[in-house]
């Protein structure tokens, strides 16, 4: 199968600093791939290179079968992009924002009207179509961004921190929309986040980024199997020590065998534990 997104030995250097360092990665059609990492890891820079907004210093990037450096226009026609900074025009109405984007992509008038209706309906913004964007909540603006990114029928959607700053309920609603798009339309997606629950809930595969490098990748199952599915936490003064075990059962057995269990507990391992294990730091 030809990968939907492929990066080979990609570097990005800003002011003599390598912010993306030898990144190689392939995302298959229909996959939701999550890039997880703390602030400054290089996730946004990676998305900017994949979406033709920044040029890699070195390496090859192919998106939807096109080379991002030599075939940027073709890449842009195949992708939808939802960036961190809200990039919808606040003084235009919801409909006008969609209309403007549709014209930019030369979608014929009749089809444009139908598609705007369809996508506003999909993200449940039909009743706000005539309202100015500045009157919308943060979650609604994000849904409008998604609807707009889908208007020209992209095959791959890039989402940079799609739920950052949103309350848990709004976040969950966006997750349902993202998951639905993948299920209903088979849309390939790459999203970045520093919320481990987001990747645990949404992503088929996960790449963990730190300091410009991809330090681990695989399915959640694979990562947990590799690093250990069970954890024993031991309180040491004001901090916790973590011991990994192949299974939660093995962690429980270890705990049972301890003569003094004070300040100790077991639980299933999560992505944050794996990140801490790999880097010695927390995700945020
Ligand atoms: P993340 O999305 O994981 O938080 P970024 O890709 O935004 O990380 O940033 C990675 C590093 O690159 C940071 O140290 C950031 O300051 C730096 N950086 C990002 N964009 C630029 C730029 N346009 N010029 C200089 N440095 C940049």
């Amino acid at each position: 199968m030809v990968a939907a997104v492929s990066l080979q030995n990609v570097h990005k250097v800003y002011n003599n600093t390598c912010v993306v360092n030898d990144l190689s990665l392939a995302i298959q059609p229909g996959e939701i791939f999550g890039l997880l990492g703390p602030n400054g890891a290089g996730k946004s820079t990676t998305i900017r290179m994949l979406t033709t907004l920044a040029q890699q210093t070195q390496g090859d990037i192919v998106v939807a079968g096109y080379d991002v450096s030599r075939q940027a226009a073709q890449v842009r026609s195949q992708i939808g992009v939802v960036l961190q900074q809200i990039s919808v025009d606040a003084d235009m109405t919801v409909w006008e924002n969609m209309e403007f984007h549709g014209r930019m992509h030369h979608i014929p008038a009749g089809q444009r009207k139908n598609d705007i209706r369809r996508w506003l309906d999909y993200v449940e913004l039909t009743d706000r179509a005539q309202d100015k964007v500045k009157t919308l909540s943060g979650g609604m603006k994000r849904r409008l961004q998604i609807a707009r990114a889908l208007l020209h029928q992209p095959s791959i959607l890039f989402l940079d921190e799609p739920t950052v700053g949103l309350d848990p309920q709004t976040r969950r609603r966006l997750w349902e929309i993202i998951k639905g798009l993948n299920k209903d339309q088979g849309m390939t997606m790459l999203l970045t986040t520093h919320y481990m629950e987001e990747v645990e809930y949404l992503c088929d595969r996960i790449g963990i980024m730190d300091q410009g490098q991809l330090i681990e990748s695989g399915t959640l199952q694979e990562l947990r199997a590799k690093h250990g599915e069970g954890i024993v936490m031991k309180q040491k003064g004001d901090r916790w020590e973590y011991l990994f075990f192949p299974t939660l059962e093995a962690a429980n057995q270890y705990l049972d065998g301890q003569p003094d269990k004070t300040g100790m507990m077991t639980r299933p391992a999560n992505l944050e534990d794996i990140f801490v294990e790999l880097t010695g730091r927390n995700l945020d």
Side-chain angles (χ1 to χ4, degrees):
M1 197 177 343
V2 178
V5 173
S6 143
L7 298 107
Q8 270 181 348
N9 307 108
V10 172
H11 293 72
K12 177 70 184 177
V13 177
Y14 280 125
N15 313 322
N16 295 323
T17 307
C18 198
V19 300
V20 172
N21 189 355
D22 203 25
L23 182 62
S24 295
L25 181 69
I27 300 170
Q28 302 309 322
E31 254 193 321
I32 305 189
F33 190 93
L35 267 185
L36 178 74
N39 281 331
K43 306 182 298 296
S44 300
T45 304
T46 301
I47 283 223
R48 291 177 61 79
M49 291 190 291
L50 288 169
T51 55
T52 78
L53 297 171
Q55 174 89 43
Q56 72 269 32
T57 312
Q58 200 185 313
D60 294 318
I61 305 180
V62 177
V63 173
Y66 297 107
D67 183 294
V68 293
S69 309
R70 287 181 282 111
Q71 298 168 299
Q74 287 96 322
V75 169
R76 282 197 284 270
S77 74
Q78 292 292 320
I79 61 171
V81 186
V82 179
L83 289 185
Q84 241 180 80
Q85 58 275 37
I86 304 268
S87 54
V88 278
D89 190 321
D91 282 317
M92 294 205 294
T93 67
V94 166
W95 186 279
E96 284 164 352
N97 262 282
M98 295 291 284
E99 176 74 19
F100 185 70
H101 184 83
R103 283 173 189 244
M104 294 263 292
H105 278 274
H106 310 292
I107 303 171
Q111 186 194 339
R112 197 163 67 223
K113 198 169 170 184
N114 282 340
D115 288 351
I116 292 175
R117 282 211 184 108
R118 170 180 172 211
W119 290 116
L120 287 184
D121 189 47
Y122 193 86
V123 300
E124 298 170 34
L125 279 178
T126 303
D127 57 340
R128 303 301 298 259
Q130 301 312 324
D131 293 346
K132 288 207 165 143
V133 169
K134 62 185 170 196
T135 68
L136 304 183
S137 68
M140 288 174 186
K141 282 184 192 147
R142 206 56 59 91
R143 282 188 271 139
L144 172 57
Q145 272 189 297
I146 292 175
R148 199 183 59 170
L150 294 168
L151 196 56
H152 58 284
Q153 300 183 314
S155 59
I156 309 171
L157 189 62
F158 293 91
L159 302 135
D160 193 11
E161 301 267 3
T163 67
V164 75
L166 301 176
D167 62 73
Q169 205 183 338
T170 310
R171 175 175 300 160
R172 196 150 273 279
R173 193 150 172 221
L174 274 168
W175 287 358
E176 296 311 330
I177 289 173
I178 291 169
K179 214 163 191 147
L181 275 172
N182 176 256
K183 272 217 185 101
D184 304 342
Q185 329 275 328
M187 180 88 67
T188 307
M189 298 192 190
L190 183 143
L191 63 91
T192 71
T193 183
H194 60 275
Y195 299 121
M196 61 157 187
E197 324 87 74
E198 192 149 288
V199 280
E200 285 183 348
Y201 184 77
L202 283 178
C203 299
D204 301 311
R205 269 191 319 134
I206 300 150
I208 301 181
M209 260 189 110
D210 187 43
Q211 298 180 344
Q213 289 186 307
L214 188 69
I215 55 173
E216 188 59 286
S217 71
T219 65
L220 181 58
Q221 211 71 30
E222 285 166 356
L223 298 192
R224 290 183 70 228
K226 182 172 169 188
H227 293 273
E229 293 181 11
I231 285 224
V232 174
M233 293 172 70
K234 275 188 191 175
Q235 198 160 17
K236 289 264 163 119
D238 59 355
R239 53 176 217 92
W240 290 90
E241 193 179 280
Y242 296 83
L243 297 175
F244 278 84
F245 290 85
T247 60
L248 184 57
E249 209 173 35
N252 286 331
Q253 268 171 15
Y254 172 85
L255 186 61
D256 285 343
Q258 298 303 304
D260 179 7
K261 300 182 182 59
T262 320
M264 293 175 80
M265 61 177 278
T266 63
R267 60 168 175 75
N270 61 38
L271 278 174
E272 176 105 32
D273 301 321
I274 294 170
F275 184 79
V276 174
E277 168 85 350
L278 288 167
T279 66
R281 289 178 289 109
N282 287 351
L283 266 172
D284 46 23

